[in-house]
């Protein structure tokens, strides 16, 4: 990629007649950071006018914390990254030796074909129009012995298009959660669902998972029961729409018991838009409506068999050790110092601005103060895992703000090449990520059991995040270079109005890319910290099976691809809009890049490549699930969550699921590893925060559950079944 804009383009763009229209265009976009001071004052997001006299920018980050900032820490990153690193993506991860105690696979033989038929409930029509229709469709659910080398999850149509693409991905997630609950290898079975009518969307997920689980256990299903609800990767239940219409359809089909998602007792009637008590509605129709929190609850309702309450990990099982608390405090100090240094670099510029200019830039610095306040609250409360996260967010915000201010200053004077060069150094991040993968590969080559493998997976996930963000940022820089060619042509032809519009787009593109690359840089620093603190994290654990790792790699790679396609289809992202969406939603970048990396690594034969495939695939699945929950289940739009009432119930269910998974992990290993405990505490400390923190807590509970499930899966977990 060309890193420098041509001098010819700059000479053309810097002609006096061109600058006459370029400068006002930049000002109209709040690009007001010029030496003479700006006067434009557009309203920030939300339509509220800026304050007439914004408060003076403080000389340093406000802090009532008594700790002294280390003087020897780097200014932007908490560790120094090598300046010259090998640049390679995982096209050749190298040959790493397996731990000496790898055992051959001894998984029990899969049963012969088993199948059942259940009735799915659905509704169609445009909500609020009155033209709403509910119904049921018979669906055949089947498992067979799988003799093929790869995972096989099939969705069959009774007629063309009767099973939509979203439901195909739901079937993958249902199979994964069923095998997690039963500790059964995914590749041991071929999984099939055959739609007998129109079926699509996430609401089929829970009943599909419960049906798969019944088949694995050899249980019969009750014919007078049906269920609606999304299934999450940790086995918890997610909200769905149209519950009143589905209850009416179930009653018309002769059902007597109806399962619905936790937190959805007050559900919106798709016809009227009014809230309906679904349990009262069911009773009026001669049915019982049962609230479901987990796949275990759904299995109990569908089969009539009570598996009993799950065993939960105790407080002592998930207590952070004093050594890990000390390590967490060191990391908090490092990130806080980095945040202080970053703010120190932008504060003089902000203070030098006029009130009007500073008000128009409130979008840039206001988030910094919000994150600082949150970090201080968590740190004062002794919640060091959450404080570490928040101080790293301040580092990201100050780093992005520093770059954005430099871009604005250069663009405001027409120095577009200089504006572009602000971000050019980030092109080295890909090489740095490759070097970290090399280090992780060397660490795994000497792994001595399942705990070391799971630690490596969790570290690899952080690197996957970085690679995803780097790819997104590079796409932004590529687009900026392409835009320069258009600017040259417009300026040469005297198309001043077209130049004005493209310059606006060019600068906005750089501003949009800056936070993405700042986050990528900080995520790489976090990954390096994880590797640096590897010596304080326990390893060991039981031997894991080489064939098992290969199975998991292929299974998670397939599930990642399906999950990514699931979300893209559900929200209607085209290829172009999907690329743009990655700039505003890092989880989408993770889901996309994670799925691609998982497919690349799963095709290789070395154990470390397959371990990276598991990390990338699982991380993509979790990211896609988080997006589905945020945008579909909770209805996120314009910064608000219209269906947020379900969020607290989701967190409670996810916490219980995590404790149940960690109990299995302890039964298998004799302990819960420190790194997994830290992930659980990240959720514990964030769960009472504002909505964005609650969503992070939800993801961390699920990540802890995944780590526990993976540990048992790697060793087949026969003692924990």
């Amino acid at each position: 990629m060309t890193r420098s804009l041509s001098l010819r383009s700059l000479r053309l763009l810097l002609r006096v007649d061109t600058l006459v229209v370029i400068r006002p265009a930049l000002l109209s976009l709040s690009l007001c950071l010029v030496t003479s001071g700006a006067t434009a004052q557009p309203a920030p997001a939300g339509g509220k006018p800026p304050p007439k006299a914004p408060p003076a920018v403080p000389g340093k980050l406000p802090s009532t914390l008594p700790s002294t900032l280390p003087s020897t820490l780097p200014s932007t990153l908490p560790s120094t990254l090598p300046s010259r690193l090998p640049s390679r993506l995982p096209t050749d991860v190298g040959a790493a030796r397996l731990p000496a105690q790898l055992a051959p696979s001894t998984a029990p033989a899969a049963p012969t074909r088993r199948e059942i038929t259940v009735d799915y409930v659905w509704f169609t029509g445009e909500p609020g129009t009155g033209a709403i229709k509910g119904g049921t469709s018979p669906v055949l659910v089947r498992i067979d012995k799988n003799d093929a080398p790869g995972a096989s999850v099939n969705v069959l149509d009774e007629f063309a298009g009767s099973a939509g693409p979203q439901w195909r991905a739901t079937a993958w997630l249902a199979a994964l959660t069923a095998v997690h609950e039963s500790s059964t290898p995914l590749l041991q079975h071929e999984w099939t669902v055959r739609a007998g009518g129109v079926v699509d969307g996430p609401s089929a997920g829970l009943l599909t998972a419960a049906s798969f689980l019944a088949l694995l256990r050899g249980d019969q299903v009750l014919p007078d029961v049906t269920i609606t609800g999304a299934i999450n990767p940790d086995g918890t239940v997610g909200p769905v729409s149209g519950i009143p219409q589905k209850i009416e359809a179930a009653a018309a089909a002769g059902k007597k018991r109806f399962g619905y998602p936790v937190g959805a007792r007050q559900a919106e009637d798709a016809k009227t838009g009014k809230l309906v008590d679904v349990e009262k509605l069911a009773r009026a129709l001669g049915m019982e409506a049962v609230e479901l929190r987990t796949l275990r609850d759904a299995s109990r309702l569908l089969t009539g068999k009570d598996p009993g309450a799950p065993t939960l990990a105790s407080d002592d099982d998930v207590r952070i050790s004093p050594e890990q608390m000390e390590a967490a405090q060191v990391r908090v100090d490092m990130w806080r110092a980095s945040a202080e240094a970053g703010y120190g670099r932008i504060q003089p510029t902000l203070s030098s601005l006029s009130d009007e200019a500073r008000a128009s830039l409130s979008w840039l610095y206001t988030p910094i103060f919000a994150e600082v306040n949150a970090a201080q609250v968590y740190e004062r409360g002794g919640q060091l895992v959450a404080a570490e996260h928040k101080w790293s967010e301040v580092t990201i915000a100050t780093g992005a703000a520093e770059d954005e201010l430099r871009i604005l200053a250069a663009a405001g004077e027409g120095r577009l090449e200089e504006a572009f060069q602000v971000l050019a150094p980030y092109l080295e991040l890909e090489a740095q990520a490759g070097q970290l993968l090399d280090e992780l590969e060397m660490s795994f080559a000497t792994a001595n059991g399942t705990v070391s493998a799971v630690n490596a997976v969790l570290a690899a996930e952080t690197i996957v995040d970085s690679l995803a963000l780097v790819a997104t940022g590079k796409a932004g820089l590529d687009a900026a270079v392409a835009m320069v060619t258009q600017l040259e042509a417009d300026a040469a032809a005297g198309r001043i109005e077209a130049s004005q519009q493209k310059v606006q787009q060019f600068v906005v593109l750089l501003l949009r890319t800056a936070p993405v690359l700042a986050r990528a840089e900080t995520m790489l620093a976090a990954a390096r910290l994880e590797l640096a603190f590897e010596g304080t994290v326990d390893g060991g654990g039981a031997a894991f099976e080489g064939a098992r790792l290969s199975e998991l790699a292929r299974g998670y790679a397939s599930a990642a691809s399906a999950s990514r396609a699931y979300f893209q289809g559900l929200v209607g992202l085209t290829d172009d809009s999907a690329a743009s969406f990655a700039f505003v939603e890092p989880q989408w970048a993770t889901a996309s890049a994670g799925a691609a990396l998982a497919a690349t690594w799963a095709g290789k034969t070395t154990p470390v490549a397959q371990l990276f495939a598991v990390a990338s695939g699982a991380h993509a699945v979790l990211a896609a699930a988080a997006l589905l929950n945020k945008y579909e289940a909770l209805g996120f739009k314009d910064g608000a969550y219209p269906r947020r009432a379900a969020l607290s119930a989701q967190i409670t269910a996810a916490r219980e699921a995590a404790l149940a998974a960690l109990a299995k992990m302890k039964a298998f290993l004799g302990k819960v590893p420190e790194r997994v405990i830290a992930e659980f505490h990240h959720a514990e400390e964030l769960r009472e925060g504002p909505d964005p923190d609650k969503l992070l807590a939800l993801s961390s509970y699920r990540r802890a559950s995944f780590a526990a499930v993976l540990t048992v899966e790697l060793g087949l977990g026969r003692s924990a079944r």
Side-chain angles (χ1 to χ4, degrees):
M1 179 177 121
T2 303
R3 300 190 187 183
S4 177
L5 310 187
S6 72
L7 293 176
R8 176 173 174 269
S9 68
L10 292 177
R11 282 195 296 269
L12 291 170
L13 287 171
L14 292 178
R15 293 185 314 181
V16 174
D17 56 343
T18 306
L19 285 176
V20 167
V21 293
I22 288 178
R23 190 185 300 275
L26 294 174
L27 295 178
S28 71
L29 289 167
S30 296
L31 309 183
C32 57
L33 189 61
V34 292
T35 55
S36 59
T39 58
Q41 226 175 315
K48 297 180 181 179
K52 293 183 178 179
V57 178
K60 63 178 181 179
L61 291 179
S63 175
T64 57
L65 299 175
S67 54
T68 303
L69 297 179
S71 59
T72 58
L73 294 177
S75 59
T76 301
L77 298 177
S79 59
T80 301
L81 297 176
S83 59
R84 187 176 182 181
L85 298 171
S87 176
R88 69 165 179 83
L89 284 175
T91 54
D92 179 13
V93 294
R97 65 177 180 86
L98 279 171
Q101 70 273 37
L102 280 178
S105 177
T106 56
T112 55
R113 173 176 293 192
R114 295 175 180 170
E115 61 184 36
I116 55 177
T117 298
V118 291
D119 290 322
Y120 285 40
V121 285
W122 47 266
F123 83 99
T124 61
E126 187 67 26
T129 64
I132 299 293
K133 176 185 177 182
T136 63
S137 295
V139 175
L140 178 73
V141 184
R142 183 172 66 220
I143 61 173
D144 290 283
K145 182 179 179 180
N146 182 26
D147 295 322
S152 178
V153 178
N154 309 302
V155 175
L156 307 179
D157 304 35
E158 182 181 35
F159 54 88
S162 62
Q166 297 163 21
W167 193 49
R168 295 178 187 277
T170 299
W172 269 100
L173 194 54
L176 280 174
T177 52
V179 300
H180 290 171
E181 180 65 26
S182 61
S183 297
T184 302
L186 176 70
L187 273 69
Q188 192 178 70
H189 303 279
E190 182 176 274
W191 313 81
T192 301
V193 287
R194 178 188 170 97
V198 177
V199 179
D200 202 8
S203 63
L206 181 59
L207 184 53
T208 306
S211 299
F212 279 146
L213 186 59
L215 292 172
L216 290 172
R217 292 173 170 170
D219 295 337
Q220 297 297 314
V221 299
L222 301 175
D224 61 349
V225 172
T226 191
I227 292 170
T228 190
I231 186 69
N232 295 314
D234 60 349
T236 57
V237 181
V240 294
S241 304
I243 296 178
Q245 280 64 48
K246 293 173 182 177
I247 289 178
E248 292 170 352
K255 303 299 181 183
K256 296 301 180 184
R257 305 191 78 197
F258 181 92
Y260 70 92
V262 62
R265 178 168 178 173
Q266 298 295 324
E268 182 178 304
D269 187 311
K271 289 182 180 178
T272 65
K274 297 180 180 179
L275 291 180
V276 174
D277 186 320
V278 298
E279 294 192 3
K280 289 183 178 179
L281 173 62
R283 284 196 297 270
L285 296 173
M287 289 200 310
E288 178 188 9
V290 181
E291 188 176 50
L292 305 175
R293 289 157 35 98
T294 65
L295 175 56
R296 180 183 289 252
D297 293 341
S299 176
R300 181 187 298 113
L301 178 64
L302 186 63
T303 65
K305 292 189 175 182
D306 188 353
T311 300
L312 304 181
S314 68
D315 290 344
D316 288 340
D317 293 336
V318 295
R319 196 181 310 279
I320 296 182
S321 68
E323 294 79 12
Q324 286 301 305
M325 288 294 288
E326 291 179 8
Q329 184 62 66
V330 170
R331 292 193 296 270
V332 167
D333 291 343
M334 295 175 77
W335 284 117
R336 183 170 8 87
S338 177
E340 287 274 5
Y343 184 75
R345 290 192 297 274
I346 65 173
Q347 188 275 335
T349 301
L350 291 174
S351 296
S352 68
L353 297 174
S354 67
D355 286 348
E356 289 180 328
R358 193 163 62 250
S360 67
L361 286 172
S362 61
W363 56 270
L364 186 148
Y365 62 81
T366 300
I368 297 175
F369 299 144
E371 293 290 3
V372 167
N373 180 66
Q376 291 172 349
V377 169
Y378 283 126
E379 187 172 1
R380 284 196 295 266
Q383 297 166 303
L384 297 182
V385 181
E388 178 186 350
H389 167 76
K390 286 298 181 180
W391 282 119
S392 71
E393 288 293 317
V394 179
T395 297
I396 293 170
T398 55
E402 181 180 7
D403 291 337
E404 288 163 336
L405 288 170
R406 291 174 60 197
I407 290 169
L408 291 170
E413 292 297 322
R415 302 189 306 273
L416 299 186
E417 180 178 18
E418 183 178 327
F420 177 85
Q421 288 299 326
V422 170
L423 302 182
Y426 286 110
L427 294 171
E428 302 300 325
L429 292 178
E430 185 177 80
Q432 295 171 11
Q435 195 265 354
L436 285 178
L437 286 173
D438 287 340
E439 293 183 21
L440 190 59
E441 179 181 339
M442 294 177 61
S443 174
F444 179 65
T446 57
N448 57 357
T450 50
V451 175
S452 297
V454 171
N455 286 344
V457 166
L458 294 178
E461 288 181 352
T462 305
I463 301 175
V464 169
D465 279 333
S466 300
L467 286 170
L469 293 165
V470 168
T472 301
K474 284 185 66 178
L477 294 181
D478 286 340
V481 170
M483 200 171 290
V484 169
T485 302
Q486 300 172 8
L487 282 169
E488 282 190 289
D490 289 340
R495 294 191 293 267
I496 303 302
E497 183 176 349
S499 292
Q500 174 186 351
Q501 295 173 350
K502 287 186 175 65
V503 167
Q504 293 177 11
Q505 295 168 4
F506 176 81
V507 177
V508 169
L509 181 59
L510 293 181
L511 293 175
R512 185 177 66 169
T513 303
V516 173
L517 291 172
R519 182 171 294 277
E521 183 180 50
T522 304
M523 293 300 293
L524 276 178
R528 184 169 289 282
L529 272 180
E530 286 195 38
L531 292 177
F533 281 90
E534 186 69 32
T536 69
V537 179
D538 52 353
F544 59 86
E545 304 190 5
R548 187 71 163 142
L549 183 59
S550 177
E551 291 177 357
L552 290 172
R554 294 195 298 272
Y556 277 110
S558 298
S561 177
S563 296
R564 180 195 181 280
Y566 181 3
F567 178 76
Q568 183 170 354
L570 188 66
V571 299
L573 290 175
T574 65
D575 289 343
D576 289 340
S577 61
S580 298
F581 189 54
F583 285 93
V584 297
E585 184 57 81
Q587 295 251 45
W588 173 244
T590 295
S592 299
L597 291 170
T600 298
W601 277 319
K604 300 184 180 299
T605 58
T606 61
V608 69
Q610 292 163 357
L611 190 81
F612 290 161
V614 171
S616 301
H619 205 38
V621 169
L622 291 172
L627 290 168
L628 286 165
N629 189 62
K630 177 178 178 179
Y631 288 91
E632 175 67 11
L634 301 176
F636 178 76
K637 186 177 182 180
D638 298 329
Y641 299 87
R643 296 188 287 275
R644 69 173 305 278
L647 184 55
S648 294
Q650 285 183 324
I651 289 174
T652 299
R655 182 179 189 274
E656 181 177 307
L659 288 171
L662 295 178
K664 285 185 177 182
M665 190 181 207
K666 184 189 176 186
F668 182 55
L669 294 175
K671 64 180 179 181
V672 179
E674 293 279 9
R675 192 184 293 274
V676 181
I677 290 175
E679 192 67 45
F680 179 80
H681 274 270
H682 186 242
E684 291 284 272
E685 295 173 6
L686 290 172
R687 62 183 301 218
E688 299 301 334
D691 285 348
D693 284 4
K694 290 182 187 296
L695 288 174
L696 287 174
L698 194 61
S699 292
S700 286
Y701 279 134
R702 290 174 179 170
R703 196 169 181 233
S705 292
F706 160 72
V709 166
L710 178 61
T711 301
V712 177
E713 284 184 329
L714 281 173
L716 284 177
R718 287 179 290 276
S719 63
R721 290 183 190 177

